[in-house]
Structure formats: structure tokens, C-alpha cells
Amino acid sequence: MNSVFEVQKTIREILLKVLDHHSLEQLNKIPQGFSNNLIWNIAHCISSQQVLIYKLSGLPTMASDEFIARYKKGTKPEGDVSQVEVDEIRILLSTTLHQTEQDFANNLFVNYNEYTTSLGFTLKNIDGALDFNNYHEGIHSGIIMSIRKFV
């Protein structure tokens, strides 16, 4: 299972570099032809991970319910994100990864509520959820790379 966390660590490092190399204005800019921006995509990865891994396992999340609701599937940016919010997202990128790895090692993920994704893939257990989460974060990393060209 280490490879799943190594992949997620790599993705999260890429997302942290995007935060480090873009201004607040660039993070908030929605380029023509896109429905969201860099910071929304990054925060959406955190929100989705919390739902796919923790909520569906019946465990408390590290991100607030408000954060999860603001960046869940089907949402879009509703105004600019402040530097304080960017700092919160930066912290959550690391803490959610490390806590998930620790919780997995401590066998906290005992139950899992099956969930069929919008792609039609049914997540049946934590292993499938962790794999799918990496796939999902990979998709959004690709979108982020595309948006970067226009900000």
C-alpha cells in the first residue's frame, strides 16, 4: 500500500509547487473557456479526498464541513480566495495526506459505504477509494497544468 501513498505524496508536492509559484491573483483567475481556477482545483482535491476516504468510511474529516461543501463536486468558485484561505489549503494538502497514511497504518478504515462515482466505477472498500482518489487528483492535476498556461 506504500505505492498508493507515494503517488499521492507526489501529486500533493506538485500542487504545493503550484501554490508556491503563482500569485494570489493567478490562483484566483478563471481563464476563458474554463469554469474554475487553480485554487479551486487544488481545494477540490482535498475536499474529494476527505469525502472518498473519510466520510464514506464513517470517520470524521480533517477539513471542515464548510470547506468540503465549498469545494465539492458540482461547485465552482464563488469569488476570490484570500491569502488566509490559500494558507489553510496549503496546510491541508500536507496534513490530510500524512493523517490518512497514519490512519491507514493504524487500521482505522474498518467500514466503507459503497459509492459509485460519476464515471460509473463503484468504490467498495478503502483500497479502491485510495486508488480512485489518486486517479481523481491526477485528473485535476492535468486540468491545473492546462490552466497554468493561461494565468
Side-chain angles (χ1 to χ4, degrees), residues 19-31:
L19 291 179
D20 290 340
H21 293 98
H22 292 83
S23 68
L24 187 58
E25 181 181 342
Q26 289 174 311
L27 292 171
N28 279 299
K29 182 176 181 182
I30 302 173

Side-chain angles (χ1 to χ4, degrees), residues 2-4 6 12 17 28 34 42 48 51 55 69 81 94 99 114 116 119 125-126 128 133 135 147:
N2 274 346
S3 65
V4 164
E6 288 302 315
R12 295 292 177 96
K17 285 179 184 173
N28 279 299
F34 290 87
I42 294 169
S48 295
V51 171
K55 280 197 181 266
V81 170
S94 298
Q99 189 64 51
E114 276 193 17
T116 302
L119 298 173
N125 56 43
I126 191 61
N133 183 68
Y135 168 74
I147 292 173

Side-chain angles (χ1 to χ4, degrees), residues 80-98:
D80 286 352
V81 170
S82 70
Q83 187 60 52
V84 170
E85 292 169 296
V86 171
D87 294 343
E88 175 190 9
I89 291 164
R90 177 186 309 282
I91 291 167
L92 285 170
L93 276 172
S94 298
T95 57
T96 55
L97 169 64
H98 297 302

